[in-house]
């Protein structure tokens, strides 16, 4: 590995923005809290709960939010905030474990109940707290706790209760410290977003300025400052992340950007053409379109083992890419500085390690570019502070078409992992045609984009059928459509019968070589979304 691959990522992505630091006590909701804050148009970052007060002071955050967490403040080894953070004078909001931690530090009384409080509960909120401005006196909130604060610390006032929780919210307005036992970040808390915005705007006095337009402007400024007059290379796949990276870089540095698109022949119908149409014709980006279709087909000939397919495709991609990088260097000529940067579409969730393990905050998977010996690039990662929904919004802002901004996830090895057995040109043609029908029919039906991913799979079998009085012995196509939030788990989509019927009829009528259509009704687990 080269040195460049091991460089840690700088956090402090946008120091000029008022920043909310989310102190993560091991909450499953830390990312959700950070996103809620950003939905309120305020920049936020997640940091380990054990961050020191000095480190916080150095970051100059506009506010702090203490998350919930699975531990009890009484447990040995449970995470604790540096008590000195309460002396920093920075507005603070704690949720669940966060309220207990504040009470623990400030001398309140916490008890472990024999019966916990889980699920929806009615909150009775005081009308004078700024936290509950525009929140009715009674509303639904989401609770999930066993410990609770029974006596608020000195200086704190109780501002909300529930039937089972004497201190559902408390505050020390003089020190601008606020806390709730319930979870405002989850959708089940009716006025959760209002409560979070009240804290940000009314208590902390933050002006909402984290808008898509500002994000674009800032990233463009950052790129210009980082890159200067150097040349940048971007591996463009046609997916949303690399497309947004390309569009941002083009806006920032124009002709100093070259995109390399490797067509391995394993793309879906229309995709290679769309990359040319959007990036070369619409954006006028210097685009190197490498036709590596033959090369991949011959490498994949006779290969049936899924992992071997993946290995060959991955390895070859970088081989082709670095060959092109070398050729480009030649093309740029002697007078030009060497290409210094390689742009990557790493997103914020790739960098966060949730929980309280401070030892290794940064995952390494995004650093796995296999640089050939002697080849060095500095990485440039313009999306590293963004969540996926922000990347999509940015794509739209930059003028990328909907079919790219809303493209469903598509695996790097492409159709090769949707063809069971050997990949051949004939099978690719069948799968591409069937897949185009599946996508067109579901796109037309699913205007709400409720289905996460949908595609066709071609198994390596044939079956007997009858078409127009003739016996057929042809291939089946499997339709896969799943609902999911993050691809970690998934369920098969309950598509209407007439939609399934339409897809089946069209595939069999329009795609030569197919005489049967099956629908995959397996969830993940035990299945995976892809078939290989
Ligand atoms: P599985 O099949 O493991 O897939 O349930 C989960 C999600 O990941 C996508 N996927 C990939 N994405 N390179 C990628 O960029 C890959 O090699 C790859 N394999 C699977 C898959 O489409 C689904 O969204």
């Amino acid at each position: 590995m080269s040195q460049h691959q091991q460089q840690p990522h700088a956090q402090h992505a946008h120091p000029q923005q008022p920043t909310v630091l989310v102190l993560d006590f091991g909450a499953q909701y830390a990312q959700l809290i950070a996103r809620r804050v950003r939905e309120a148009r305020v920049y936020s970052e997640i940091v380990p709960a054990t961050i020191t007060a000095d480190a916080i002071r150095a970051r100059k955050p506009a506010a702090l939010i203490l998350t919930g967490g699975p531990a009890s403040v009484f447990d040995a080894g449970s995470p604790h905030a540096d008590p000195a953070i309460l002396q920093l004078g920075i507005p603070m909001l704690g949720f669940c474990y966060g309220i207990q931690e504040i009470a623990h530090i400030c001398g309140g009384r916490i008890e472990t109940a024999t019966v916990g409080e889980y699920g929806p509960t009615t909150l009775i909120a005081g009308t004078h707290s700024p936290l509950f401005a525009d929140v009715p006196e009674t509303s639904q909130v989401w609770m999930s706790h066993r410990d609770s604060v029974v006596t608020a610390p000195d200086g704190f006032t109780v501002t909300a209760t529930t039937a089972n929780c004497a201190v559902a919210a408390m505050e020390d307005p003089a020190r601008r410290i606020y806390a709730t036992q319930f979870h405002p970040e989850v959708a089940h808390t009716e006025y959760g977003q209002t409560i979070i915005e009240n804290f940000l705007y009314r208590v902390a006095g933050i002006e909402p300025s984290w808008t898509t337009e500002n994000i674009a402007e800032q990233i463009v400024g950052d790129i210009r400052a980082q890159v200067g007059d150097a040349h940048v290379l971007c591996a463009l796949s046609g997916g949303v992340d690399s497309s947004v990276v390309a569009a941002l870089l083009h806006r920032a540095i124009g002709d100093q950007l070259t995109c390399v698109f490797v067509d391995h022949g394993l793309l879906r119908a229309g995709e290679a053409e769309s990359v040319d149409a959007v990036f070369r014709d619409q954006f006028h980006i210097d685009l190197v379109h490498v036709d590596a279709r033959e090369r991949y087909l011959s490498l994949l000939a006779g290969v049936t083992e899924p992992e071997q397919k993946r290995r060959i495709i991955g390895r070859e991609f970088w081989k082709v890419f670095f060959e092109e990088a070398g050729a480009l260097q030649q093309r740029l000529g002697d007078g030009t500085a060497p290409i210094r940067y390689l742009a990557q579409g790493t997103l914020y969730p790739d960098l966060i390690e949730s929980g309280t393990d401070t030892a290794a905050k940064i995952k390494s998977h995004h650093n796995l570019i296999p640089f050939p010996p002697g080849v060095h690039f500095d990485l440039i990662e313009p999306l590293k502070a963004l969540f996926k929904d922000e990347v999509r919004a940015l794509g739209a802002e930059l003028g990328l078409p909907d079919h790219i901004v809303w493209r469903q996830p598509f695996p790097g090895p492409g159709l090769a992992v949707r063809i069971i057995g050997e990949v051949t040109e004939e099978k690719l043609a069948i799968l591409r045609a069937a897949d185009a029908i599946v996508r067109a029919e579901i796109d037309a039906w699913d205007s709400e984009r409720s289905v996460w991913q949908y595609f066709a799979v071609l198994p390596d079998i044939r079956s007997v059928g009858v078409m127009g009085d003739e016996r057929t012995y042809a291939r089946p196509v499997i339709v896969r459509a799943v609902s999911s939030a993050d691809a970690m788990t998934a369920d098969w989509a309950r598509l209407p019968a007439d939609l399934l019927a339409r897809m089946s009829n069209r595939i069999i009528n329009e795609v030569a070589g197919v005489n049967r259509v099956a629908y995959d009704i397996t969830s993940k687990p035990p299945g995976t979304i892809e078939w290989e």
Side-chain angles (χ1 to χ4, degrees), residues 173-213:
R175 290 199 286 167
R176 293 191 294 176
I177 302 173
Y178 292 74
T180 69
Q181 181 57 64
F182 57 91
H183 290 271
E185 71 274 26
V186 304
H188 310 279
T189 294
E190 260 182 295
Y191 290 87
Q193 189 66 17
T194 308
I195 292 168
I196 290 171
E197 290 179 4
N198 283 340
F199 170 72
L200 297 171
Y201 307 153
R202 292 169 193 262
V203 173
I206 303 173
E207 288 288 329
S209 58
W210 183 246
T211 59
T212 311
E213 219 180 293

mmCIF file of all heavy atoms in Angstrom, residues 173-213:
data_model
loop_
_atom_site.group_PDB
_atom_site.id
_atom_site.type_symbol
_atom_site.label_atom_id
_atom_site.label_comp_id
_atom_site.label_asym_id
_atom_site.label_seq_id
_atom_site.Cartn_x
_atom_site.Cartn_y
_atom_site.Cartn_z
ATOM 1 N N PRO A 173 -31.792 26.760 31.765
ATOM 2 C CA PRO A 173 -31.714 27.766 30.708
ATOM 3 C C PRO A 173 -30.514 28.687 30.875
ATOM 4 O O PRO A 173 -29.951 29.158 29.885
ATOM 5 C CB PRO A 173 -33.020 28.548 30.829
ATOM 6 C CG PRO A 173 -33.830 27.885 31.874
ATOM 7 C CD PRO A 173 -33.000 26.869 32.585
ATOM 8 N N ALA A 174 -30.085 28.926 32.143
ATOM 9 C CA ALA A 174 -28.953 29.835 32.344
ATOM 10 C C ALA A 174 -27.711 29.280 31.659
ATOM 11 O O ALA A 174 -26.938 30.016 31.052
ATOM 12 C CB ALA A 174 -28.701 30.017 33.838
ATOM 13 N N ARG A 175 -27.525 27.937 31.737
ATOM 14 C CA ARG A 175 -26.346 27.335 31.103
ATOM 15 C C ARG A 175 -26.670 26.775 29.705
ATOM 16 O O ARG A 175 -25.835 26.134 29.082
ATOM 17 C CB ARG A 175 -25.786 26.217 32.000
ATOM 18 C CG ARG A 175 -25.144 26.776 33.272
ATOM 19 C CD ARG A 175 -24.198 25.758 33.903
ATOM 20 N NE ARG A 175 -24.918 24.670 34.569
ATOM 21 C CZ ARG A 175 -24.341 23.533 34.979
ATOM 22 N NH1 ARG A 175 -23.053 23.333 34.772
ATOM 23 N NH2 ARG A 175 -25.050 22.617 35.601
ATOM 24 N N ARG A 176 -27.899 26.964 29.273
ATOM 25 C CA ARG A 176 -28.383 26.457 27.979
ATOM 26 C C ARG A 176 -28.178 24.936 27.846
ATOM 27 O O ARG A 176 -27.705 24.434 26.837
ATOM 28 C CB ARG A 176 -27.733 27.203 26.811
ATOM 29 C CG ARG A 176 -28.155 28.676 26.748
ATOM 30 C CD ARG A 176 -27.724 29.328 25.463
ATOM 31 N NE ARG A 176 -26.278 29.436 25.345
ATOM 32 C CZ ARG A 176 -25.638 29.907 24.282
ATOM 33 N NH1 ARG A 176 -26.333 30.291 23.223
ATOM 34 N NH2 ARG A 176 -24.329 29.997 24.257
ATOM 35 N N ILE A 177 -28.533 24.208 28.938
ATOM 36 C CA ILE A 177 -28.455 22.745 28.900
ATOM 37 C C ILE A 177 -29.878 22.189 28.927
ATOM 38 O O ILE A 177 -30.654 22.492 29.848
ATOM 39 C CB ILE A 177 -27.643 22.193 30.090
ATOM 40 C CG1 ILE A 177 -26.228 22.788 30.066
ATOM 41 C CG2 ILE A 177 -27.575 20.675 30.034
ATOM 42 C CD1 ILE A 177 -25.404 22.444 31.296
ATOM 43 N N TYR A 178 -30.220 21.389 27.930
ATOM 44 C CA TYR A 178 -31.566 20.840 27.774
ATOM 45 C C TYR A 178 -31.453 19.332 27.601
ATOM 46 O O TYR A 178 -30.459 18.842 27.043
ATOM 47 C CB TYR A 178 -32.262 21.460 26.545
ATOM 48 C CG TYR A 178 -32.560 22.934 26.745
ATOM 49 C CD1 TYR A 178 -31.526 23.867 26.695
ATOM 50 C CD2 TYR A 178 -33.843 23.368 27.035
ATOM 51 C CE1 TYR A 178 -31.777 25.213 26.926
ATOM 52 C CE2 TYR A 178 -34.104 24.710 27.247
ATOM 53 C CZ TYR A 178 -33.073 25.635 27.199
ATOM 54 O OH TYR A 178 -33.316 26.957 27.429
ATOM 55 N N ALA A 179 -32.474 18.597 28.059
ATOM 56 C CA ALA A 179 -32.389 17.149 27.897
ATOM 57 C C ALA A 179 -33.787 16.534 27.917
ATOM 58 O O ALA A 179 -34.679 17.039 28.591
ATOM 59 C CB ALA A 179 -31.530 16.545 29.011
ATOM 60 N N THR A 180 -33.937 15.454 27.147
ATOM 61 C CA THR A 180 -35.213 14.737 27.137
ATOM 62 C C THR A 180 -34.947 13.252 27.369
ATOM 63 O O THR A 180 -33.941 12.715 26.900
ATOM 64 C CB THR A 180 -35.949 14.880 25.783
ATOM 65 O OG1 THR A 180 -35.216 14.169 24.783
ATOM 66 C CG2 THR A 180 -36.111 16.331 25.372
ATOM 67 N N GLN A 181 -35.863 12.593 28.080
ATOM 68 C CA GLN A 181 -35.748 11.153 28.252
ATOM 69 C C GLN A 181 -36.189 10.442 26.966
ATOM 70 O O GLN A 181 -35.699 9.385 26.618
ATOM 71 C CB GLN A 181 -36.606 10.693 29.442
ATOM 72 C CG GLN A 181 -36.533 9.211 29.732
ATOM 73 C CD GLN A 181 -35.113 8.740 29.976
ATOM 74 O OE1 GLN A 181 -34.461 9.137 30.934
ATOM 75 N NE2 GLN A 181 -34.594 7.904 29.091
ATOM 76 N N PHE A 182 -37.110 11.054 26.230
ATOM 77 C CA PHE A 182 -37.605 10.417 24.991
ATOM 78 C C PHE A 182 -36.662 10.738 23.817
ATOM 79 O O PHE A 182 -35.709 11.509 23.974
ATOM 80 C CB PHE A 182 -39.040 10.877 24.691
ATOM 81 C CG PHE A 182 -39.184 12.363 24.568
ATOM 82 C CD1 PHE A 182 -39.045 12.980 23.331
ATOM 83 C CD2 PHE A 182 -39.453 13.152 25.668
ATOM 84 C CE1 PHE A 182 -39.180 14.351 23.198
ATOM 85 C CE2 PHE A 182 -39.580 14.536 25.548
ATOM 86 C CZ PHE A 182 -39.441 15.133 24.308
ATOM 87 N N HIS A 183 -36.967 10.130 22.687
ATOM 88 C CA HIS A 183 -36.136 10.284 21.489
ATOM 89 C C HIS A 183 -36.812 11.207 20.474
ATOM 90 O O HIS A 183 -37.634 10.756 19.685
ATOM 91 C CB HIS A 183 -35.917 8.921 20.819
ATOM 92 C CG HIS A 183 -35.035 7.999 21.596
ATOM 93 N ND1 HIS A 183 -33.667 7.989 21.441
ATOM 94 C CD2 HIS A 183 -35.307 7.073 22.540
ATOM 95 C CE1 HIS A 183 -33.139 7.087 22.247
ATOM 96 N NE2 HIS A 183 -34.114 6.517 22.930
ATOM 97 N N PRO A 184 -36.422 12.471 20.420
ATOM 98 C CA PRO A 184 -37.034 13.375 19.422
ATOM 99 C C PRO A 184 -36.640 13.011 17.984
ATOM 100 O O PRO A 184 -37.319 13.410 17.047
ATOM 101 C CB PRO A 184 -36.466 14.753 19.778
ATOM 102 C CG PRO A 184 -35.907 14.615 21.132
ATOM 103 C CD PRO A 184 -35.483 13.194 21.278
ATOM 104 N N GLU A 185 -35.543 12.259 17.811
ATOM 105 C CA GLU A 185 -35.035 12.017 16.456
ATOM 106 C C GLU A 185 -35.851 10.997 15.675
ATOM 107 O O GLU A 185 -35.746 10.946 14.451
ATOM 108 C CB GLU A 185 -33.564 11.568 16.524
ATOM 109 C CG GLU A 185 -33.298 10.171 17.069
ATOM 110 C CD GLU A 185 -33.192 10.115 18.593
ATOM 111 O OE1 GLU A 185 -33.773 10.988 19.271
ATOM 112 O OE2 GLU A 185 -32.541 9.189 19.101
ATOM 113 N N VAL A 186 -36.651 10.157 16.368
ATOM 114 C CA VAL A 186 -37.351 9.105 15.620
ATOM 115 C C VAL A 186 -38.704 9.622 15.116
ATOM 116 O O VAL A 186 -39.316 10.513 15.710
ATOM 117 C CB VAL A 186 -37.543 7.806 16.454
ATOM 118 C CG1 VAL A 186 -36.211 7.290 16.955
ATOM 119 C CG2 VAL A 186 -38.504 8.017 17.597
ATOM 120 N N ALA A 187 -39.154 9.016 14.035
ATOM 121 C CA ALA A 187 -40.388 9.491 13.379
ATOM 122 C C ALA A 187 -41.603 9.319 14.289
ATOM 123 O O ALA A 187 -42.588 10.047 14.152
ATOM 124 C CB ALA A 187 -40.597 8.735 12.070
ATOM 125 N N HIS A 188 -41.533 8.367 15.248
ATOM 126 C CA HIS A 188 -42.689 8.133 16.126
ATOM 127 C C HIS A 188 -42.902 9.272 17.124
ATOM 128 O O HIS A 188 -43.927 9.322 17.779
ATOM 129 C CB HIS A 188 -42.511 6.840 16.933
ATOM 130 C CG HIS A 188 -42.137 5.665 16.090
ATOM 131 N ND1 HIS A 188 -43.063 4.953 15.378
ATOM 132 C CD2 HIS A 188 -40.935 5.105 15.829
ATOM 133 C CE1 HIS A 188 -42.436 3.989 14.712
ATOM 134 N NE2 HIS A 188 -41.150 4.066 14.972
ATOM 135 N N THR A 189 -41.913 10.122 17.303
ATOM 136 C CA THR A 189 -42.122 11.281 18.170
ATOM 137 C C THR A 189 -42.717 12.386 17.308
ATOM 138 O O THR A 189 -42.044 12.947 16.434
ATOM 139 C CB THR A 189 -40.800 11.732 18.830
ATOM 140 O OG1 THR A 189 -40.377 10.692 19.716
ATOM 141 C CG2 THR A 189 -40.971 13.023 19.614
ATOM 142 N N GLU A 190 -44.012 12.662 17.570
ATOM 143 C CA GLU A 190 -44.806 13.526 16.682
ATOM 144 C C GLU A 190 -44.130 14.867 16.376
ATOM 145 O O GLU A 190 -44.101 15.317 15.250
ATOM 146 C CB GLU A 190 -46.131 13.845 17.377
ATOM 147 C CG GLU A 190 -47.310 13.048 16.948
ATOM 148 C CD GLU A 190 -48.540 13.531 17.714
ATOM 149 O OE1 GLU A 190 -48.592 13.372 18.968
ATOM 150 O OE2 GLU A 190 -49.427 14.081 17.066
ATOM 151 N N TYR A 191 -43.629 15.537 17.395
ATOM 152 C CA TYR A 191 -43.066 16.876 17.200
ATOM 153 C C TYR A 191 -41.546 16.868 17.358
ATOM 154 O O TYR A 191 -40.948 17.859 17.756
ATOM 155 C CB TYR A 191 -43.723 17.872 18.170
ATOM 156 C CG TYR A 191 -45.166 18.131 17.786
ATOM 157 C CD1 TYR A 191 -46.177 17.304 18.266
ATOM 158 C CD2 TYR A 191 -45.495 19.157 16.910
ATOM 159 C CE1 TYR A 191 -47.502 17.487 17.879
ATOM 160 C CE2 TYR A 191 -46.802 19.352 16.514
ATOM 161 C CZ TYR A 191 -47.800 18.514 16.991
ATOM 162 O OH TYR A 191 -49.091 18.706 16.592
ATOM 163 N N GLY A 192 -40.947 15.699 17.060
ATOM 164 C CA GLY A 192 -39.509 15.536 17.258
ATOM 165 C C GLY A 192 -38.678 16.565 16.491
ATOM 166 O O GLY A 192 -37.764 17.184 17.051
ATOM 167 N N GLN A 193 -39.012 16.748 15.213
ATOM 168 C CA GLN A 193 -38.215 17.680 14.412
ATOM 169 C C GLN A 193 -38.393 19.114 14.925
ATOM 170 O O GLN A 193 -37.440 19.893 14.967
ATOM 171 C CB GLN A 193 -38.597 17.566 12.922
ATOM 172 C CG GLN A 193 -37.696 18.334 11.960
ATOM 173 C CD GLN A 193 -36.248 17.813 11.892
ATOM 174 O OE1 GLN A 193 -35.952 16.695 12.312
ATOM 175 N NE2 GLN A 193 -35.337 18.645 11.403
ATOM 176 N N THR A 194 -39.611 19.439 15.370
ATOM 177 C CA THR A 194 -39.854 20.779 15.933
ATOM 178 C C THR A 194 -38.980 20.986 17.168
ATOM 179 O O THR A 194 -38.379 22.058 17.353
ATOM 180 C CB THR A 194 -41.341 20.918 16.344
ATOM 181 O OG1 THR A 194 -42.140 20.547 15.228
ATOM 182 C CG2 THR A 194 -41.687 22.318 16.795
ATOM 183 N N ILE A 195 -38.899 19.953 18.016
ATOM 184 C CA ILE A 195 -38.106 20.059 19.245
ATOM 185 C C ILE A 195 -36.625 20.269 18.905
ATOM 186 O O ILE A 195 -35.952 21.136 19.475
ATOM 187 C CB ILE A 195 -38.321 18.801 20.132
ATOM 188 C CG1 ILE A 195 -39.758 18.798 20.659
ATOM 189 C CG2 ILE A 195 -37.300 18.722 21.264
ATOM 190 C CD1 ILE A 195 -40.204 17.482 21.303
ATOM 191 N N ILE A 196 -36.132 19.492 17.935
ATOM 192 C CA ILE A 196 -34.726 19.624 17.537
ATOM 193 C C ILE A 196 -34.489 21.030 16.960
ATOM 194 O O ILE A 196 -33.502 21.700 17.287
ATOM 195 C CB ILE A 196 -34.348 18.520 16.516
ATOM 196 C CG1 ILE A 196 -34.319 17.163 17.235
ATOM 197 C CG2 ILE A 196 -32.998 18.813 15.854
ATOM 198 C CD1 ILE A 196 -34.184 15.961 16.322
ATOM 199 N N GLU A 197 -35.410 21.492 16.128
ATOM 200 C CA GLU A 197 -35.236 22.825 15.523
ATOM 201 C C GLU A 197 -35.350 23.926 16.588
ATOM 202 O O GLU A 197 -34.636 24.929 16.528
ATOM 203 C CB GLU A 197 -36.235 23.021 14.379
ATOM 204 C CG GLU A 197 -35.866 22.128 13.203
ATOM 205 C CD GLU A 197 -36.810 22.229 12.007
ATOM 206 O OE1 GLU A 197 -37.744 23.058 12.025
ATOM 207 O OE2 GLU A 197 -36.595 21.450 11.044
ATOM 208 N N ASN A 198 -36.236 23.729 17.549
ATOM 209 C CA ASN A 198 -36.325 24.706 18.642
ATOM 210 C C ASN A 198 -34.991 24.846 19.355
ATOM 211 O O ASN A 198 -34.536 25.948 19.671
ATOM 212 C CB ASN A 198 -37.387 24.279 19.664
ATOM 213 C CG ASN A 198 -38.803 24.568 19.169
ATOM 214 O OD1 ASN A 198 -39.000 25.387 18.264
ATOM 215 N ND2 ASN A 198 -39.778 23.889 19.757
ATOM 216 N N PHE A 199 -34.365 23.691 19.606
ATOM 217 C CA PHE A 199 -33.059 23.736 20.272
ATOM 218 C C PHE A 199 -32.040 24.476 19.401
ATOM 219 O O PHE A 199 -31.329 25.362 19.871
ATOM 220 C CB PHE A 199 -32.574 22.316 20.583
ATOM 221 C CG PHE A 199 -31.136 22.284 21.045
ATOM 222 C CD1 PHE A 199 -30.779 22.755 22.312
ATOM 223 C CD2 PHE A 199 -30.124 21.797 20.213
ATOM 224 C CE1 PHE A 199 -29.449 22.754 22.733
ATOM 225 C CE2 PHE A 199 -28.797 21.798 20.622
ATOM 226 C CZ PHE A 199 -28.461 22.276 21.890
ATOM 227 N N LEU A 200 -31.999 24.109 18.121
ATOM 228 C CA LEU A 200 -30.975 24.687 17.239
ATOM 229 C C LEU A 200 -31.183 26.185 17.037
ATOM 230 O O LEU A 200 -30.241 26.973 17.140
ATOM 231 C CB LEU A 200 -30.995 23.980 15.872
ATOM 232 C CG LEU A 200 -30.663 22.487 15.887
ATOM 233 C CD1 LEU A 200 -30.932 21.873 14.512
ATOM 234 C CD2 LEU A 200 -29.207 22.255 16.289
ATOM 235 N N TYR A 201 -32.441 26.563 16.751
ATOM 236 C CA TYR A 201 -32.693 27.955 16.372
ATOM 237 C C TYR A 201 -32.920 28.851 17.599
ATOM 238 O O TYR A 201 -32.371 29.933 17.703
ATOM 239 C CB TYR A 201 -33.923 28.081 15.461
ATOM 240 C CG TYR A 201 -33.933 27.198 14.232
ATOM 241 C CD1 TYR A 201 -35.142 26.797 13.657
ATOM 242 C CD2 TYR A 201 -32.757 26.747 13.630
ATOM 243 C CE1 TYR A 201 -35.177 25.989 12.521
ATOM 244 C CE2 TYR A 201 -32.787 25.929 12.501
ATOM 245 C CZ TYR A 201 -34.001 25.559 11.957
ATOM 246 O OH TYR A 201 -34.039 24.755 10.843
ATOM 247 N N ARG A 202 -33.794 28.383 18.522
ATOM 248 C CA ARG A 202 -34.197 29.259 19.628
ATOM 249 C C ARG A 202 -33.181 29.239 20.772
ATOM 250 O O ARG A 202 -32.882 30.268 21.352
ATOM 251 C CB ARG A 202 -35.565 28.837 20.181
ATOM 252 C CG ARG A 202 -36.696 29.091 19.204
ATOM 253 C CD ARG A 202 -37.965 28.424 19.696
ATOM 254 N NE ARG A 202 -38.975 28.396 18.657
ATOM 255 C CZ ARG A 202 -39.967 29.263 18.545
ATOM 256 N NH1 ARG A 202 -40.112 30.233 19.436
ATOM 257 N NH2 ARG A 202 -40.833 29.180 17.560
ATOM 258 N N VAL A 203 -32.709 28.018 21.125
ATOM 259 C CA VAL A 203 -31.790 27.918 22.261
ATOM 260 C C VAL A 203 -30.368 28.283 21.826
ATOM 261 O O VAL A 203 -29.732 29.150 22.423
ATOM 262 C CB VAL A 203 -31.824 26.497 22.877
ATOM 263 C CG1 VAL A 203 -30.741 26.365 23.943
ATOM 264 C CG2 VAL A 203 -33.197 26.185 23.437
ATOM 265 N N ALA A 204 -29.890 27.618 20.764
ATOM 266 C CA ALA A 204 -28.493 27.825 20.369
ATOM 267 C C ALA A 204 -28.334 29.018 19.428
ATOM 268 O O ALA A 204 -27.216 29.457 19.167
ATOM 269 C CB ALA A 204 -27.946 26.553 19.715
ATOM 270 N N GLY A 205 -29.444 29.523 18.906
ATOM 271 C CA GLY A 205 -29.392 30.710 18.045
ATOM 272 C C GLY A 205 -28.664 30.480 16.728
ATOM 273 O O GLY A 205 -28.067 31.391 16.160
ATOM 274 N N ILE A 206 -28.714 29.252 16.214
ATOM 275 C CA ILE A 206 -28.007 28.952 14.964
ATOM 276 C C ILE A 206 -28.894 29.354 13.779
ATOM 277 O O ILE A 206 -30.080 29.059 13.753
ATOM 278 C CB ILE A 206 -27.674 27.441 14.864
ATOM 279 C CG1 ILE A 206 -26.839 27.004 16.085
ATOM 280 C CG2 ILE A 206 -26.948 27.125 13.561
ATOM 281 C CD1 ILE A 206 -26.615 25.513 16.169
ATOM 282 N N GLU A 207 -28.290 30.023 12.805
ATOM 283 C CA GLU A 207 -28.999 30.360 11.561
ATOM 284 C C GLU A 207 -28.917 29.147 10.641
ATOM 285 O O GLU A 207 -27.811 28.664 10.374
ATOM 286 C CB GLU A 207 -28.295 31.526 10.854
ATOM 287 C CG GLU A 207 -28.460 32.864 11.511
ATOM 288 C CD GLU A 207 -29.870 33.411 11.328
ATOM 289 O OE1 GLU A 207 -30.504 33.109 10.292
ATOM 290 O OE2 GLU A 207 -30.326 34.136 12.236
ATOM 291 N N PRO A 208 -30.043 28.661 10.133
ATOM 292 C CA PRO A 208 -29.953 27.510 9.222
ATOM 293 C C PRO A 208 -29.325 27.908 7.886
ATOM 294 O O PRO A 208 -29.857 28.762 7.193
ATOM 295 C CB PRO A 208 -31.412 27.091 9.028
ATOM 296 C CG PRO A 208 -32.219 28.275 9.413
ATOM 297 C CD PRO A 208 -31.407 29.096 10.369
ATOM 298 N N SER A 209 -28.178 27.343 7.572
ATOM 299 C CA SER A 209 -27.511 27.739 6.333
ATOM 300 C C SER A 209 -26.962 26.555 5.553
ATOM 301 O O SER A 209 -26.304 26.734 4.534
ATOM 302 C CB SER A 209 -26.367 28.708 6.655
ATOM 303 O OG SER A 209 -25.467 28.079 7.530
ATOM 304 N N TRP A 210 -27.223 25.353 6.027
ATOM 305 C CA TRP A 210 -26.703 24.162 5.336
ATOM 306 C C TRP A 210 -27.691 23.784 4.223
ATOM 307 O O TRP A 210 -28.480 22.870 4.349
ATOM 308 C CB TRP A 210 -26.514 23.031 6.347
ATOM 309 C CG TRP A 210 -25.922 21.755 5.815
ATOM 310 C CD1 TRP A 210 -26.546 20.540 5.725
ATOM 311 C CD2 TRP A 210 -24.599 21.533 5.326
ATOM 312 N NE1 TRP A 210 -25.708 19.598 5.215
ATOM 313 C CE2 TRP A 210 -24.493 20.179 4.956
ATOM 314 C CE3 TRP A 210 -23.480 22.358 5.147
ATOM 315 C CZ2 TRP A 210 -23.329 19.622 4.429
ATOM 316 C CZ3 TRP A 210 -22.318 21.800 4.626
ATOM 317 C CH2 TRP A 210 -22.254 20.449 4.273
ATOM 318 N N THR A 211 -27.676 24.517 3.142
ATOM 319 C CA THR A 211 -28.592 24.258 2.034
ATOM 320 C C THR A 211 -27.813 23.654 0.875
ATOM 321 O O THR A 211 -26.582 23.793 0.814
ATOM 322 C CB THR A 211 -29.230 25.558 1.535
ATOM 323 O OG1 THR A 211 -28.164 26.425 1.119
ATOM 324 C CG2 THR A 211 -30.018 26.252 2.631
ATOM 325 N N THR A 212 -28.533 23.012 -0.024
ATOM 326 C CA THR A 212 -27.862 22.339 -1.139
ATOM 327 C C THR A 212 -26.983 23.324 -1.917
ATOM 328 O O THR A 212 -25.862 22.992 -2.310
ATOM 329 C CB THR A 212 -28.915 21.732 -2.077
ATOM 330 O OG1 THR A 212 -29.825 21.006 -1.273
ATOM 331 C CG2 THR A 212 -28.297 20.786 -3.059
ATOM 332 N N GLU A 213 -27.512 24.521 -2.112
ATOM 333 C CA GLU A 213 -26.750 25.519 -2.853
ATOM 334 C C GLU A 213 -25.440 25.868 -2.130
ATOM 335 O O GLU A 213 -24.369 25.925 -2.740
ATOM 336 C CB GLU A 213 -27.609 26.773 -2.927
ATOM 337 C CG GLU A 213 -27.547 27.494 -4.232
ATOM 338 C CD GLU A 213 -28.466 28.705 -4.130
ATOM 339 O OE1 GLU A 213 -29.692 28.477 -4.025
ATOM 340 O OE2 GLU A 213 -27.953 29.827 -4.124
#
